[in-house]
Amino acid sequence: MKHRRLVVLAGIVGVIALVVSLSVAAASSNKPARTHKATAIVAPKVPNAKTLRQKYGGQKITFVGDSVGDGHKRDLRLAKRFSKDTGIKVSVVPHPAASDQSYSQLVRAFSQKSSSIDVAMIDVVWPGAFAPYLVNLKPKLAKQAKLHIKSLIQNDTIGGKLVAMPWFGEYGILYYRSDLLKKYGYKAPPKTWGDLFKMARKIQTGEQKTNKNFYGFVFQGNAYEGLTCNALEWIASAGGGTLVSGGKATIDNAKARTILDAMRAQIGKLTPRGVTSYQEDQTEHAFDAGDAAFARNWPYQYGIGAGAGSKVKGKFSVTVLPHGTSGRSVGTVGGWQLAVSKFSKHKAAAIEFVRYMTSPAVEKFDAITNSNVPTILSVAKDKQVRAKNPYLKPAIASVPRVTRPAKFLKTHYNEASKVIYQGINQILNGTPAKNVLPGMESKLNQIIKQS
């Protein structure tokens, strides 16, 4: 999933609904992520920098930040500006690109009460799991928190304490080659998965005559958190439910089996055989190199595809993901928050860094330079932001959101997600869904009982 444990995650669906009502809405590669030429916009100044320099100048903090797409590049630019203005030295360390590996990294640091991390980027489904190790930001950031979408603040509030601040949101969308759709006689992107397979097959057949590396569809098929997000979209969009419902695992059902077997049938045919090892960056690389007709990914990919280094600049567009014959299009809720470790030796300086990074000015900078979804409504409505990010159009942003079952699994979410993505990866690699889903459902129900 890039990547993404609790409380009112279902309320995040309301996040998008609220944004849409205002006409907005808004998981790695071993090779370095392709980046696009930075826009002219500069990192915003730090408000009250003089006072911060007097109080905390010379202190050093470590920020474990982004690693997908241009995220690390953005973090470095912002940290450099913050350090220049305040005198607080920020060391930026990218987290592992796979969300579950990032989770494990933080578990190790917190369990050891390590002061090596001051500020951490955490997935939208982690606040409940990490709350005991995080600083309550409410005393210092309550006023700024009111700027962000309410349900995200609720999600980040555990036991009355604001343990994280929203940074940017995400949801799954479909990227497609608009030029190739036109070339092969299609007037609109696919509505159903069946449509996508049919269109991808025709386009792939034609394009492989001159490009043997060209395939119809790419997505995140590796055994990691991103595959949990993809599988949730497939199953929910086919009418097969949301993996867990009413406190019980529901993944073993006929509609889930049908869509998963349909995806399995495309591996090595309409997808590269290696798609079962793809994470976000490999998906983006394939599409932006001109080697795929369709791609499922998060909004961050848009900025890279529209950049100077992309072979598909001006040749692609985005829309909602397809759905099954008896379902509707959905997008998995993603997003990242910033939190301060209780074991930090410079908590006050770290909180000020979080204040800066989650400010309206920085969210606008991030949306324009890195095409991330703002969590502040006024930023999402900004004309410059919307012009750079077509996925904020209501036609796309109004798609229903589905949430991973963290509220049922609590601190056991990571364990349960592993059951999901390993099982789905097994199916994609050739095992019929009927041979995998019963065991997955049984394991999930056992974990739910422990939660």
Side-chain angles (χ1 to χ4, degrees):
M1 154 253 193
K2 233 159 147 207
H3 340 316
R4 307 323 159 205
R5 248 174 210 263
L6 329 175
V7 191
V8 265
L9 279 186
I12 297 180
V13 177
V15 170
I16 307 302
L18 177 57
V19 179
V20 171
S21 70
L22 295 173
S23 298
V24 293
S28 153
S29 174
N30 291 324
K31 56 186 175 181
R34 182 182 292 105
T35 57
H36 63 285
K37 187 177 181 180
T39 58
I41 185 173
V42 298
K45 295 180 179 179
V46 180
N48 205 25
K50 183 177 180 180
T51 299
L52 296 182
R53 180 179 289 276
Q54 291 173 345
K55 288 184 176 181
Y56 312 117
Q59 292 188 14
K60 299 179 180 180
I61 61 174
T62 297
F63 169 44
V64 177
D66 211 345
S67 61
V68 175
D70 282 350
H72 182 57
K73 182 178 179 181
R74 170 207 58 211
D75 293 349
L76 289 173
R77 293 178 68 188
L78 291 168
K80 182 178 180 180
R81 183 58 186 254
F82 183 81
S83 296
K84 177 183 177 182
D85 288 2
T86 66
I88 301 170
K89 299 179 181 179
V90 182
S91 175
V92 180
V93 179
H95 67 56
S99 185
D100 48 319
Q101 293 178 17
S102 177
Y103 180 87
S104 297
Q105 177 191 52
L106 295 179
V107 167
R108 289 192 295 271
F110 293 148
S111 63
Q112 295 169 5
K113 298 182 179 180
S114 172
S115 61
S116 62
I117 297 174
D118 298 282
V119 178
M121 173 182 179
I122 69 171
D123 201 326
V124 70
V125 288
W126 295 350
F130 288 141
Y133 311 107
L134 304 177
V135 171
N136 180 14
L137 303 176
K138 186 177 290 186
K140 294 290 185 68
L141 301 183
K143 183 177 179 180
Q144 184 155 308
K146 293 180 180 179
L147 301 176
H148 293 263
I149 295 169
K150 186 176 181 180
S151 57
L152 281 176
I153 296 300
Q154 291 173 336
N155 176 76
D156 295 344
T157 301
I158 308 296
K161 297 179 180 179
L162 181 64
V163 300
M165 279 284 283
W167 192 21
F168 62 86
E170 294 183 307
Y171 47 91
I173 57 179
L174 182 71
Y175 291 79
Y176 66 93
R177 287 285 300 276
S178 52
D179 61 329
L180 294 182
L181 262 64
K182 183 178 180 180
K183 177 179 177 180
Y184 289 92
Y186 296 112
K187 296 182 179 179
K191 298 293 184 182
T192 68
W193 291 110
D195 291 340
L196 184 145
F197 299 154
K198 180 179 179 181
M199 295 167 70
R201 185 175 298 107
K202 182 176 180 179
I203 296 172
Q204 176 179 295
T205 299
E207 293 302 298
Q208 282 192 346
K209 292 177 181 178
T210 55
N211 180 5
K212 293 182 179 180
N213 294 321
F214 190 93
Y215 283 90
F217 181 43
V218 290
F219 58 89
Q220 297 80 59
N222 196 5
Y224 81 118
E225 183 68 17
L227 182 53
T228 296
C229 297
N230 278 250
L232 175 57
E233 290 164 347
W234 300 339
I235 294 171
S237 70
T242 53
L243 311 182
V244 176
S245 180
K248 293 183 180 180
T250 59
I251 194 171
D252 183 23
N253 64 77
K255 291 180 179 179
R257 289 192 291 271
T258 298
I259 187 64
L260 292 174
D261 282 337
M263 290 295 174
R264 173 172 58 86
Q266 312 311 318
I267 305 302
K269 296 178 181 178
L270 292 185
T271 76
R273 183 62 189 86
V275 79
T276 55
S277 67
Y278 277 25
Q279 296 187 15
E280 281 84 2
D281 280 344
Q282 289 96 337
T283 303
E284 177 269 312
H285 293 339
F287 188 83
D288 291 338
D291 292 335
F294 299 98
R296 181 273 179 206
N297 213 339
W298 308 100
Y300 87 92
Q301 180 176 312
Y302 193 93
I304 299 177
S310 171
K311 291 185 179 180
V312 299
K313 181 180 179 181
K315 300 177 181 179
F316 76 97
S317 190
V318 292
T319 187
V320 297
L321 291 164
H323 56 79
T325 55
S326 60
R328 60 178 182 172
S329 296
V330 300
T332 295
V333 171
W336 292 84
Q337 335 295 303
L338 296 184
V340 176
S341 170
K342 277 188 176 180
F343 309 114
S344 168
K345 293 181 179 179
H346 304 291
K347 295 182 183 67
I351 290 173
E352 292 306 322
F353 181 65
V354 172
R355 185 194 303 276
Y356 172 67
M357 294 289 278
T358 62
S359 66
V362 169
E363 283 219 351
K364 180 176 179 178
F365 171 85
D366 187 22
I368 292 175
T369 63
N370 207 43
S371 66
N372 277 323
V373 181
T375 61
I376 297 175
L377 295 180
S378 61
V379 176
K381 292 189 291 183
D382 184 279
K383 291 182 179 180
Q384 287 181 285
V385 170
R386 296 188 70 185
K388 285 283 187 178
N389 300 291
Y391 60 80
L392 290 175
K393 295 178 180 178
I396 299 173
S398 61
V399 69
R401 299 304 192 271
V402 286
T403 56
R404 286 161 285 170
K407 66 179 180 179
F408 297 112
L409 295 156
K410 302 181 173 65
T411 56
H412 293 280
Y413 173 79
N414 220 43
E415 179 185 355
S417 184
K418 187 175 182 179
V419 170
I420 296 168
Y421 61 66
Q422 287 185 340
I424 302 300
N425 185 262
Q426 183 181 352
I427 293 170
L428 294 178
N429 275 301
T431 305
K434 67 178 182 180
N435 296 341
V436 179
L437 295 184
M440 290 174 61
E441 183 163 294
S442 176
K443 290 178 182 178
L444 289 173
N445 280 325
Q446 290 176 13
I447 296 173
I448 290 171
K449 290 179 180 178
Q450 300 169 10
S451 302

